Amino acid sequence: MRVVSVVGARPQFIKAASVCRALRGRHEEILVHSGQHYDYGMSDVFFEQLGIPAPDYNLAVGSGGHGRQTGEMLGMLEELLLEREPDMVLVYGDTNTTLAAGLAAAKLDIPVAHVEAGLRSFNRAMPEEINRVLVDHISALLLCPTTAAVENLRAEGITEGVHLVGDVMLDTARYFAESVNAAPVLARYGVEPDGYFFATVHRAGNSDDPGKLAAIVSALAALDRPVIWAVHPRTRKNLQAFGLDAVVEASPSIIAIEPLPYTDTVALLCSASALLTDSGGMQKEAYFFGVPCVTMRDETEWVETVELGWNTLVGADTERILAAAQARTKPIARPSVYGDGHAADTIVDVIERHAFV
Ligand code: UD1
């Protein structure tokens, strides 16, 4: 079987690392990088560190408005798919790359397999929500990480081709966890285990909004222990544009650093007192490693983390962020709601069954 896999943004590299490994032993994979993320620290370093094969194509789409970015990818992917004639197109998550690849394939009547299908925030103001809803409705195989995702699809009338496979980010976390050596990473930033917070902020809803970004910066600056903040390029630009960079620099508690490679991220996450984030994937990674999470959003797709008490939704509200970071709830139970760490193998099994019926 010939599969075209399309990735383009940082979380997709982390997910593809496990699926590529499982798929390549058994089938021909053509890996396409859309170029949505292109900085060395946002892209190449993940391929190197996670052992992802070099992409067969890089579309170099770069940054831009949603329409231009998605439209350019759509045209290029259509040409590529017509030329390579795959049996299936594999897409990941909810980015503009996911939408462009799903749409290009579906219009050519090539079955789409969607890894991380069924996730919903029920907030249509998020570009990711639009992407994931649309891709789910044009996919032949809906590869769900959780039972909540299966239920979300059922509520939208999607029941065919739906498979509960577990979460591929858990596969990647398990595979690389052993090679993580936290001590030198913590030493680099002068922090002790359980003596600091770890933070990331990149959602458009937070980082493009001056009021919300200011509220988050105020909270980080008022924490009672150091906070290592790996700053996404979108957020870095906006901190400067909104004049908040001076507040960050003046804060004794904020250690603002460049985006980190995967194993450094895991190292800092594992030993943190809590994670403060608006990322989707990192809410789960915190759960995998038993680290309390404070989510600076009003809703989450990863409802299990909240229901089980490991994650607190606080929006971009300074006081609520501080209160949740202070409380950092750490329940005793941490059940395997994201599968057994073998989601990638299950995905390849499902794809094979689909192809050969
Ligand atoms: C994208 C995804 C989001 C995902 C995130 C992971 C969409 C709509 N959003 O958000 O779902 O959670 O990736 O990080 O697809 N930039 C750089 N260098 C890069 C990449 C981006 O400087 O390598 C800057 C550019 O100014 C760009 C901005 O970041 O305009 C936003 O990048 P973009 O890919 O549009 O969205 P993300 O915020 O990264």
Side-chain angles (χ1 to χ4, degrees):
M1 185 170 45
R2 175 183 292 169
V3 178
V4 165
S5 302
V6 187
V7 294
R10 190 166 53 167
Q12 293 167 329
F13 310 142
I14 296 167
K15 293 163 199 169
S18 292
V19 181
C20 284
R21 201 177 317 110
L23 189 62
R24 293 219 170 192
R26 287 149 72 169
H27 299 284
E28 181 191 356
E29 184 187 42
I30 297 166
L31 185 61
V32 180
H33 188 328
S34 69
Q36 180 173 347
H37 285 177
Y38 44 84
D39 287 344
Y40 177 80
M42 295 289 287
S43 175
D44 307 47
V45 73
F46 289 87
F47 282 77
E48 290 167 12
Q49 197 175 66
L50 302 181
I52 307 167
D56 299 283
Y57 297 86
N58 190 325
L59 307 180
V61 71
S63 299
H66 290 277
R68 187 200 64 75
Q69 192 183 52
T70 311
E72 278 187 15
M73 287 190 269
L74 184 61
M76 290 190 276
L77 285 162
E78 183 178 62
E79 266 179 43
L80 191 155
L81 296 177
L82 282 168
E83 190 188 317
R84 301 307 304 260
E85 298 183 327
D87 301 298
M88 180 159 284
V89 170
L90 191 56
V91 300
Y92 294 86
D94 55 20
T95 71
N96 289 344
T97 297
T98 318
L99 177 61
L103 202 47
K107 290 271 184 166
L108 294 172
D109 207 19
I110 301 167
V112 176
H114 184 200
V115 177
E116 243 183 39
L119 275 290
R120 294 290 180 271
S121 66
F122 301 102
N123 174 3
R124 293 270 170 119
M126 284 178 75
E128 293 86 358
E129 184 76 354
I130 308 289
N131 293 341
R132 54 172 94 95
V133 169
L134 292 175
V135 172
D136 281 342
H137 282 261
I138 53 175
S139 292
L141 287 180
L142 298 110
L143 306 161
C144 297
T146 60
T147 50
V150 174
E151 284 310 314
N152 288 337
L153 292 175
R154 192 192 309 278
E156 290 174 22
I158 304 175
T159 51
E160 269 184 43
V162 177
H163 300 266
L164 178 62
V165 295
D167 197 308
V168 290
M169 286 186 79
L170 180 58
D171 297 27
T172 304
R174 291 249 173 102
Y175 191 85
F176 288 98
E178 278 176 18
S179 60
V180 171
N181 183 5
V185 186
L186 269 63
R188 195 191 306 154
Y189 302 110
V191 291
E192 300 286 334
D194 196 23
Y196 66 95
F197 294 106
F198 187 37
T200 74
V201 180
H202 80 279
R203 288 284 157 204
N206 281 335
S207 62
D208 292 359
D209 181 318
K212 287 189 174 174
L213 194 54
I216 289 171
V217 169
S218 296
L220 299 188
L223 288 166
D224 61 357
R225 53 187 73 191
V227 52
I228 300 176
W229 182 6
V231 186
H232 187 289
R234 169 199 281 276
T235 311
R236 189 169 290 279
K237 283 175 195 161
N238 287 342
L239 286 171
Q240 283 160 5
F242 305 153
L244 292 166
D245 47 344
V247 184
V248 171
E249 275 158 35
S251 161
S253 62
I254 299 177
I255 305 170
I257 61 173
E258 292 297 311
L260 288 168
Y262 183 73
T263 53
D264 287 20
T265 302
V266 171
L268 286 175
L269 176 60
C270 285
S271 300
S273 304
L275 171 72
L276 289 81
T277 193
D278 61 6
S279 157
M282 288 200 67
Q283 294 172 52
K284 272 181 303 175
E285 286 170 333
Y287 184 81
F288 299 160
F289 295 113
V291 176
C293 185
V294 177
T295 296
M296 299 182 285
R297 286 175 50 194
D298 296 318
E299 73 289 303
T300 181
E301 303 79 26
W302 305 104
V303 289
E304 314 75 26
T305 58
V306 176
E307 285 161 8
L308 291 163
W310 284 89
N311 189 6
T312 312
L313 298 177
V314 293
D317 179 313
T318 308
E319 295 309 318
R320 289 172 68 203
I321 295 168
L322 286 169
Q326 185 73 29
R328 40 181 185 282
T329 329
K330 204 167 177 177
I332 294 161
R334 199 154 45 87
S336 305
V337 287
Y338 296 110
D340 59 4
H342 295 101
D345 287 325
T346 311
I347 285 171
V348 178
D349 290 344
V350 169
I351 289 175
E352 278 175 3
R353 278 206 304 275
H354 178 87
F356 299 123
V357 285

